[in-house]
Amino acid sequence: MNFFLMPMFFLSGAMFPIRNLPTWMDSLVRINPLAYGVDAMRYVLIGPAFQAFPIHVSLAVMAILAAVMIAGAVISFNIGDG
């Protein structure tokens, strides 16, 4: 589990700003859903000064991810009922 969680956490921008990353690392950050959640939280707590993504993009990515996860959970529970 830590094999996936630690890189996601470090590439989320929670510990360092993601604005000045190299291009190869920037592409990894953009596919990391945790980065959008951290960026939205930073927007709420600090304001738009340190924002990496627009707030509507962060909220849209989190809503899409939530919908996919809920759909996966519903399918998983329905398969379990047999």
Side-chain angles (χ1 to χ4, degrees):
M1 190 64 121
N2 277 338
F3 183 73
F4 294 108
L5 290 180
M6 290 304 289
M8 282 182 67
F9 178 70
F10 285 125
L11 291 175
S12 70
M15 303 190 59
F16 54 87
I18 57 177
R19 285 186 174 181
N20 299 325
L21 292 177
T23 55
W24 67 271
M25 197 177 283
D26 186 52
S27 62
L28 291 176
V29 167
R30 292 192 181 278
I31 63 171
N32 183 3
L34 191 57
Y36 295 95
V38 168
D39 196 55
M41 188 180 302
R42 185 176 291 132
Y43 176 80
V44 169
L45 294 175
I46 299 174
F50 297 102
Q51 194 175 9
F53 309 109
I55 188 67
H56 65 278
V57 172
S58 295
L59 293 176
V61 168
M62 289 189 302
I64 291 169
L65 180 67
V68 168
M69 292 295 133
I70 290 171
V74 167
I75 291 169
S76 175
F77 281 123
N78 286 337
I79 289 173
D81 286 340

